[in-house]
Amino acid sequence: MLERRPLLRHRVLSGAAALVLLAGLSACAADDEPVDEPEVVPTESTEPEPEPTAEPEPEAFSMPSDCTQIFPQERLDNLAGQNLVLRGGPGSTEGNDVFADPTPEQRVGGISCIWANPDGEIADLLISVAPLNPATRAGVVDDLTAQGLNESTLEDGAITYGLLGDEQGAPAIYNEVRADSWISVISAFGGQVFYDEAVMFAEEIRGEVYQ
């Protein structure tokens, strides 16, 4: 099929008019000769190259050798100011003999520490730190789960197991279980205030055992 094209109209100039037009175009061409443009030299950027940022080294768990190393000195001084002394565990005046049986934390290679009034028979605080590996961690998680403690997960992936307790005698209990460590705090006194204190203790301990 043939394509239909539009008809173009051509204007025909007389010979004289064509000469006049040609002369005018020649004059314009002479007047509009190209002018050399200045050469543009690219300038180098003066902005400094960004330096690569080093990735932070992952924190590593370090098992404390005794109970005096699980807290910052400020917390140790604070406990002493409340007339709570280290009466059980490595580094205490009475040693580990205060425990009738090994604590669960001691059974997996950890330490347990008792802070109490010098003249009292009640352990105001039982605080433990223990190293974990995949085998021991599985047993710890099973045991804490079987106790019916409240479970949650922290931003860093640690699993917590806690019990608020009450003022009638149920203790406040808080545990943080990570891939390589177990931190536990048991306060003889329960209720929101003492539970929050147990959480704070665990975070302070984490700052000491992870570097």
Side-chain angles (χ1 to χ4, degrees):
M1 178 182 294
L2 297 177
E3 182 181 357
R4 297 185 62 184
R5 298 178 180 274
L7 297 177
L8 300 179
R9 294 184 177 180
H10 298 278
R11 298 181 64 184
V12 181
L13 301 177
S14 65
L19 292 176
V20 173
L21 179 60
L22 181 60
L25 292 175
S26 299
C28 291
D31 292 339
D32 295 337
E33 290 185 0
V35 179
D36 292 339
E37 295 290 337
E39 183 179 359
V40 178
V41 179
T43 58
E44 296 183 358
S45 174
T46 58
E47 295 183 2
E49 293 290 332
E51 296 183 1
T53 56
E55 292 292 331
E57 292 291 332
E59 293 182 332
F61 173 72
S62 177
M63 181 64 201
S65 60
D66 63 51
C67 298
T68 64
Q69 297 180 353
I70 69 173
F71 274 130
Q73 186 60 47
E74 183 180 358
R75 176 57 61 191
L76 294 173
D77 295 340
N78 179 269
L79 292 173
Q82 298 180 54
N83 200 29
L84 295 177
V85 299
L86 181 61
R87 293 186 56 186
S92 72
T93 55
E94 301 181 38
N96 285 334
D97 294 338
V98 295
F99 298 101
D101 297 302
T103 65
E105 293 84 356
Q106 288 176 318
R107 287 197 291 267
V108 294
I111 60 175
S112 292
C113 312
I114 292 176
W115 271 269
N117 187 287
D119 302 323
E121 297 181 358
I122 298 176
D124 292 78
L125 290 170
L126 174 59
I127 300 177
S128 304
V129 180
L132 294 179
N133 56 48
T136 56
R137 183 182 184 278
V140 168
V141 169
D142 289 344
D143 181 60
L144 293 174
T145 302
Q147 295 179 39
L149 302 175
N150 298 317
E151 180 179 340
S152 64
T153 304
L154 300 180
E155 291 183 359
D156 66 355
I159 304 175
T160 71
Y161 301 87
L163 182 67
L164 187 65
D166 56 48
E167 298 177 359
Q168 283 68 49
I173 300 173
Y174 182 74
N175 296 268
E176 286 186 2
V177 178
R178 294 180 170 81
D180 53 0
S181 71
W182 177 16
I183 299 171
S184 69
V185 180
I186 301 177
S187 172
F189 305 99
Q192 190 66 57
V193 172
F194 291 100
Y195 180 82
D196 292 343
E197 184 181 61
V199 174
M200 178 179 63
F201 287 163
E203 288 307 302
E204 289 180 355
I205 294 168
R206 181 190 181 282
E208 295 297 306
V209 300
Y210 278 92
Q211 301 294 334

